[in-house]
Each structure stands twice: as structure tokens, then as C-alpha cells.
Amino acid sequence: MKKILIIFSVSLLIASCGQKDGTSIEKVIEDGDLTAIRAKRGEIVAEQQEIANKLKQLDEAIASLDSIKKLPLVTTITAKDTLFNHYLELQGSVETKKNIVLYPEAAGTLVRVLVKEGQRVSKGQVLARIDDGGLSQQVAQMEVQAELAKTTYERQKKLWEQKIGSEIQYLQAKTNYESSKNGVDQMKRQLAKATVTAPFSGIVDDVITEQGSVVAPGQSQLIRIVNLDDMYIEVEVPESYISSIVKGKETKVHFPVLGKTIDTKIRQVGNYINPNNRSFTVEVAVPNKDGIIKPNLTAKVQINDYTSEKAILIPQSIISENAEGDQYAYVTSGKDAKNIAEAKRTIVKTGKTQGDYIEILEGIANGDDIISEGARSVKDGQKVEIIN
């Protein structure tokens, strides 16, 4: 009914255009008088403005009387302060300082391999033996000679203490004994190079050279031994984080292949900044009690570089930006019993982001109702209906 009244009113107004001076538009155009045509146009423009003003009055009257007018529908979320831990995300691979290949220290034939792949060994355990080329027999002979030199020295010493014999005889016996003993020790050290032992406890990962092969020092790879207990990840961190990334910082490590995430800490921070990429290295400890984490396994490292005890977090999707580059969001105020409220635009200052959420430093306080769905379609000062 109201729409019919508006249409009828507008029709009457339009019909009256051009009739005030009794001369129709067609008649003025037909006469061809430019001054009269311009005067008629000005008259119609004035009437048009009058019609617009009357339509505005009618719209305002309808808005004030219409109890079922449509308002933008929105949903809101309530801002709450919460603990916020921000993590710097980096990528690295698992490493261990106890992953080495053993080489022989002596040349010869590999006569015995005493371990198998997958076998757990202890530090100092004999893993393989190399033909000593007769060194063991030479050591036995030198030990006999050293024992004789020791006996001669001890007897000569007793005689010298009893003032029997000359000092030179005593000194010669002493020198012969010490020389023989040092020669035996030196030969034993040489003989020990024919025995390959484990430098640390671990697992034999690979027996590279088979028994019976001829090996050479520093050239022939014998056995790979790995210890999976002391694992770590080394990552490069941009120098801008040098003040926030320190030893002991909490860190999360995720292994995509294993689908596993562990909580750990930084165990070492480098003191050198690489001039090529302006970064420093960080070592993150990797506990590996079950032994499923292997060297060179890809990992995603998240280091806690920022913590706020009372942070306001909101979804990034509800933040907009104006032409001046200011970020803003809409909050609601004056909500009545019918969930009708006013949308107010507020300029915000944002901090760090984590996933889909962003930290609000200024502009929104604890307890504010923020428009979530429908935020893109409202205007500052507009009435909205909240349908949470």
C-alpha cells in the first residue's frame, strides 16, 4: 500500500512538470526560442530537485514507521585477552655428531670383522682386526729384552746403594731399562693401530669393507657407526631475531614424514653471523628415546620468539584496510533486546600473526564485540542485526 502511494505521488509530480507556466515542453521546443528553452530547462531542474526533496521526506517517514525494515545481518565475536605464544617457523634436517665412518690407521689385510650391521656396540669395543705384519712377535721379543734390562737395572741399583761398583755402570743399566721400556710402549701403540675399536657407543650401520680386503690408512672405509641418542637440528635464523632467540627457548619440532611433533629447547646459539645471508645458527636438541628419528630426516622447527600474557587475538579475515593504509575492524555498541546495534569502525594496530589469527595491540579492548561475518558489507554508524 505504501509503495502504491509513493508511485502515485511521484506520478503527480512528474505530470505537473512543464505545466506551471501553461506552456508544454513540446510547444517551447517547436517555437525554437533558445532563451525560452533554457528557461524551461531551469524550471524543470528546480522541479526535479523539489521532487527529490519530497521523496527523501517520504523515505524518512517510511523508515520511521516501518517496524519490519530490513537491516544487515551480522555475527559477532567477543574479544578476550589470552596467552599468546608466537613461533618463528624454520626448516632443517636432523643431524648427529656421532655419525662417523671408521678408517684404518695401519695398512694391511682386514683379517677379522667382529661385528654385524645393526649390532649395538660399546665405546672401546673391538670391531675389526688388521694383519699386523709380525709386529706382535716383535713386541714379545722387546718385552723379553725390557724385562732383562729391568732385572739388570734393579741389581745394579742395589750394588750402587751398597757402594759397590761404579756410578757409570748404574747409570748405563738405568738408561738401558728406560730405553727398552719406551721402545716396548712405542711398539704397542703401533700394534694397537691394527685393531679397530668403537670411538663411542652406538649401532653398526654399515660394514663397508669385507673381511680379507687389503686396506690403507685414510683411504679404505671400514665401518659406519651411528649413535641415535644425541640428535639435534641445526637451523639458520635471520639476524633480526638475535635478541629473542636465546639458549633454553621453547621449541616445537614437527616431522612430516613421521606425523610426529615433539617439544624441546634450544641447546646452543651461534656467536657468528654469516655475512652472506645475515643469519646465525641454532642447535635444537631432539630427544629420540624410541630411536625412530634418523639423521637427515626433514623437520619443521617452530621457535618461541614472542610471548604475551594478555593478548587480543582475532581472525585476520575480519581486518580491512582503507586508502590511507590504516587497518580497521567494526565493533558493535548499544545492542538492544532485539539484538539491534550500531556498527562502529575502529582503527587498529596489529602485531604478530599465528596461523589465521592476528594480535591486536591498539583499537580493540577486552570484552568488545567485533563484527565477524558480514563485516565487509556494513558501514560506519549503520544499524545492524546480530544473529549469533
Side-chain angles (χ1 to χ4, degrees):
M1 184 64 183
K2 291 173 183 176
K3 292 182 178 180
I4 296 174
L5 289 174
I6 293 172
I7 295 171
F8 180 70
S9 301
V10 172
S11 300
L12 289 177
L13 289 170
I14 294 174
S16 64
C17 290
Q19 302 300 324
K20 286 188 177 181
D21 60 355
T23 306
S24 67
I25 296 175
E26 291 80 4
K27 182 69 168 81
V28 172
I29 293 174
E30 183 180 349
D31 292 342
D33 187 347
L34 180 59
T35 301
I37 292 174
R38 286 176 174 172
K40 193 64 177 179
R41 185 183 184 283
E43 180 184 334
I44 294 175
V45 169
E47 292 173 356
Q48 184 182 22
Q49 184 63 42
E50 183 180 355
I51 292 172
N53 293 334
K54 290 180 179 180
L55 287 174
K56 182 178 179 182
Q57 293 175 5
L58 292 172
D59 290 339
E60 291 175 352
I62 292 172
S64 63
L65 297 174
D66 190 359
S67 60
I68 58 171
K69 58 185 176 182
K70 293 183 179 180
L71 296 175
L73 303 179
V74 299
T75 62
T76 61
I77 57 174
T78 302
K80 294 182 180 180
D81 53 17
T82 183
L83 174 65
F84 175 46
N85 289 315
H86 181 267
Y87 290 90
L88 171 65
E89 297 187 359
L90 302 166
Q91 187 162 338
S93 59
V94 179
E95 299 180 29
T96 176
K97 293 180 179 178
K98 294 183 176 180
N99 174 20
I100 65 171
V101 175
L102 301 179
Y103 288 81
E105 293 184 83
T109 303
L110 187 64
V111 293
R112 293 288 304 275
V113 176
L114 304 173
V115 292
K116 298 180 180 179
E117 294 177 355
Q119 180 178 337
R120 183 173 291 276
V121 295
S122 302
K123 181 178 179 180
Q125 180 177 337
V126 177
L127 307 179
R129 296 186 187 278
I130 300 170
D131 181 20
D132 59 20
L135 280 179
S136 56
Q137 288 83 358
Q138 294 181 36
V139 170
Q141 293 175 2
M142 293 181 67
E143 285 178 337
V144 172
Q145 295 174 358
E147 191 63 29
L148 176 60
K150 179 181 180 183
T151 302
T152 303
Y153 162 67
E154 289 175 348
R155 289 182 179 180
Q156 195 66 41
K157 180 180 179 183
K158 288 179 181 180
L159 292 173
W160 173 247
E161 290 173 350
Q162 297 174 8
K163 305 299 181 182
I164 301 173
S166 64
E167 183 181 4
I168 191 65
Q169 290 175 324
Y170 164 71
L171 293 176
Q172 285 176 345
K174 181 180 179 181
T175 302
N176 289 336
Y177 166 60
E178 291 178 350
S179 177
S180 298
K181 186 175 66 173
N182 291 337
V184 170
D185 293 340
Q186 183 178 1
M187 191 61 69
K188 284 184 176 180
R189 287 194 296 269
Q190 193 69 26
L191 180 61
K193 294 181 178 181
T195 303
V196 180
T197 59
F200 52 80
S201 299
I203 297 174
V204 176
D205 187 64
D206 188 13
V207 177
I208 303 172
T209 302
E210 297 297 330
Q211 184 172 298
S213 303
V214 177
V215 296
Q219 297 180 14
S220 306
Q221 296 183 349
L222 300 181
I223 298 170
R224 177 183 292 277
I225 182 172
V226 180
N227 187 311
L228 300 180
D229 296 332
D230 186 21
M231 311 287 282
Y232 70 97
I233 299 173
E234 186 175 271
V235 294
E236 293 189 347
V237 181
E239 65 176 350
S240 57
Y241 293 92
I242 195 168
S243 60
S244 57
I245 304 299
V246 295
K247 182 179 179 180
K249 272 284 187 177
E250 294 183 358
T251 304
K252 295 180 182 294
V253 178
H254 177 66
F255 302 98
V257 174
L258 301 178
K260 179 179 180 180
T261 300
I262 61 173
D263 295 322
T264 180
K265 293 182 178 181
I266 294 176
R267 74 178 189 183
Q268 182 178 337
V269 177
N271 297 310
Y272 171 76
I273 295 179
N274 188 336
N276 296 323
N277 56 9
R278 310 306 304 174
S279 67
F280 59 97
T281 58
V282 166
E283 279 189 16
V284 179
V286 179
N288 191 25
K289 293 181 180 180
D290 50 9
I292 64 173
I293 300 174
K294 310 296 183 183
N296 300 317
L297 186 65
T298 301
K300 293 182 178 179
V301 180
Q302 294 180 317
I303 305 175
N304 176 220
D305 67 318
Y306 171 77
T307 298
S308 176
E309 297 291 339
K310 293 184 177 181
I312 302 294
L313 301 178
I314 66 173
Q316 296 188 59
S317 58
I318 65 178
I319 299 290
S320 300
E321 187 173 313
N322 60 21
E324 288 75 27
D326 297 324
Q327 293 180 308
Y328 65 89
Y330 286 97
V331 297
T332 60
S333 62
K335 185 173 72 171
D336 58 21
K338 296 182 179 180
N339 287 332
I340 306 300
E342 181 180 352
K344 291 186 176 180
R345 185 172 62 183
T346 177
I347 302 297
V348 297
K349 182 180 178 181
T350 58
K352 295 183 178 294
T353 61
Q354 193 72 58
D356 297 330
Y357 287 84
I358 188 169
E359 180 188 18
I360 301 299
L361 302 177
E362 296 178 6
I364 296 176
N366 184 35
D368 285 350
D369 291 327
I370 311 165
I371 295 179
S372 177
E373 295 183 16
R376 305 288 183 182
S377 60
V378 300
K379 297 179 180 179
D380 188 26
Q382 186 178 17
K383 293 290 185 178
V384 295
E385 182 178 353
I386 302 172
I387 57 169
N388 290 352

